[in-house]
């Protein structure tokens, strides 16, 4: 029994030596020199992914929306389209009203097929009672009436694309002159024209300057015989009924210098 008790401490010693040898073997396998390095290795190991560190929240992931990319937005608007530059000629046409009188006439350079107006845009209106008035505006932007002493003036803006149209009636004054086209004893009066009363070349196809001798209220059946100014007047007259037959326009070939 005494021998058995004496072996017990020895057995413990050999078991301890064996344990130490096992630890040293493990350290050698891990490439470590001592237990301290093993302790450092264990403390530096990252935590398991299945066990997040207490008190540490995961980062918030933000999903981009339409406001980040600009795509898919329905209320975005592009730059406003540039407004067209003003058209002074169109503005001059639009400033005219029905009843206005203008110092505008046909020069005759368009011949008998078209009207060549004396200015490029309507000037400021003048008094219809004054001798400067040569046409009166009777309607706007509509089908213009036709007849002797009637025409129209239209303008289409290349800036805005709009068209403005003035319907015009000629205003006549005694002692003024217009153009005429004579063939034999017949003279066709260019009733929208105006020309200086002096002998000078006239635009083709016209060949006469016609002097207005009178502007009268037309009697029934009016003709050139109603143009005689005194008894026994032998002047050769050429006449036209204008203003829808209400006015008798009397002319003669200009004989001045």
């Amino acid at each position: 029994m005494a021998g058995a008790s004496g072996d017990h401490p020895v057995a413990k010693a050999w078991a301890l030596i064996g344990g130490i040898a096992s630890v040293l073997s493990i350290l050698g396998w891990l490439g470590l020199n001592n237990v301290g390095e093993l302790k450092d290795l264990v403390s530096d190991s990252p935590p398991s992914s299945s066990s997040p560190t207490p008190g540490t929240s995961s980062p918030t992931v933000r999903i981009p929306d339409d406001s980040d990319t600009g795509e898919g937005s329905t209320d975005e608007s592009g730059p406003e389209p540039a407004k067209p530059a003003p058209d002074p000629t169109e503005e001059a046409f639009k400033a005219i009203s029905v009843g206005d009188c203008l110092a505008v006439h046909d020069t005759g350079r368009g011949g008998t097929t078209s009207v060549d107006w004396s200015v490029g845009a309507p000037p400021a209106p003048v008094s219809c009672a004054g001798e400067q008035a040569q046409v009166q505006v009777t309607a706007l932007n509509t089908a213009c009436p036709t007849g002797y002493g009637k025409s129209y003036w239209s303008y289409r803006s290349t800036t805005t694309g709009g068209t403005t149209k003035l319907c015009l009636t000629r205003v006549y004054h005694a002692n003024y002159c217009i153009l005429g086209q004579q063939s034999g004893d017949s003279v066709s009066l260019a009733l929208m024209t105006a020309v200086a009363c002096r002998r000078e070349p006239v635009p083709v196809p016209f060949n006469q300057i016609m002097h207005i001798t009178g502007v009268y209220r037309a009697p029934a059946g009016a003709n050139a015989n109603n143009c005689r100014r005194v008894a026994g007047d032998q002047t050769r007259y050429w006449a036209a009924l204008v203003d829808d037959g209400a006015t008798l326009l009397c002319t003669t070939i200009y004989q001045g210098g």
Side-chain angles (χ1 to χ4, degrees):
M1 292 295 293
S5 61
D7 292 336
H8 184 67
V10 174
K12 287 183 179 181
W14 281 112
L16 178 60
I17 292 171
I20 293 172
S22 297
V23 170
L24 293 176
S25 177
I26 293 172
L27 291 175
W29 180 77
L30 292 175
L32 303 176
N33 295 320
N34 52 52
V35 176
E37 289 183 358
L38 177 61
K39 182 179 179 181
D40 293 339
L41 175 66
V42 173
S43 63
D44 290 340
S45 299
S48 171
S49 60
S50 61
S51 302
T53 303
T56 302
S57 60
S58 300
T60 301
V61 178
R62 184 172 181 271
I63 300 176
D65 56 20
D66 290 341
S67 62
D68 295 323
T69 64
E71 298 177 357
S73 177
T74 59
D75 59 354
E76 287 189 0
S77 58
E80 293 184 1
K83 294 182 179 179
D87 184 339
T89 301
E90 182 180 48
E91 292 176 354
F93 268 84
K94 289 187 174 182
I96 302 302
S97 302
V98 172
D100 286 346
C101 287
L102 307 173
V104 174
H105 63 272
D106 178 13
T107 67
R109 289 191 289 266
T112 59
T113 58
S114 63
V115 175
D116 178 64
W117 296 108
S118 56
V119 292
V126 297
S127 170
C128 292
E131 292 190 351
Q132 285 185 311
Q134 294 173 323
V135 294
Q136 184 172 28
V137 180
T138 58
L140 299 172
N141 303 320
T142 187
C144 296
T146 59
Y148 290 132
K150 294 183 180 182
S151 188
Y152 66 91
W153 191 8
S154 64
Y155 174 75
R156 183 182 184 277
S157 172
T158 57
T159 302
T160 66
T163 298
T164 309
K165 187 176 184 181
L166 310 179
C167 300
L168 305 173
T169 295
R170 184 72 161 83
V171 177
Y172 300 98
H173 305 283
N175 298 318
Y176 278 51
C177 289
I178 63 175
L179 293 171
Q181 184 179 14
Q182 183 176 20
S183 177
D185 287 338
S186 174
V187 176
S188 296
L189 301 176
L191 295 170
M192 298 301 295
T193 65
V195 66
C197 293
R198 58 176 180 261
R199 297 309 304 179
E200 62 181 9
V202 296
V204 176
F206 306 106
N207 54 15
Q208 291 293 357
I209 295 174
M210 307 301 294
H211 182 234
I212 299 173
T213 60
V215 182
Y216 310 109
R217 183 183 298 276
N223 56 43
N225 292 326
N226 297 105
C227 292
R228 293 189 176 97
R229 289 168 284 182
V230 294
D233 185 357
Q234 298 299 310
T235 304
R236 180 66 187 272
Y237 293 99
W238 286 267
L241 290 172
V242 295
D243 298 333
D244 299 323
T247 301
L248 175 66
L249 179 71
C250 298
T251 70
T252 187
I253 294 175
Y254 179 72
Q255 302 294 333

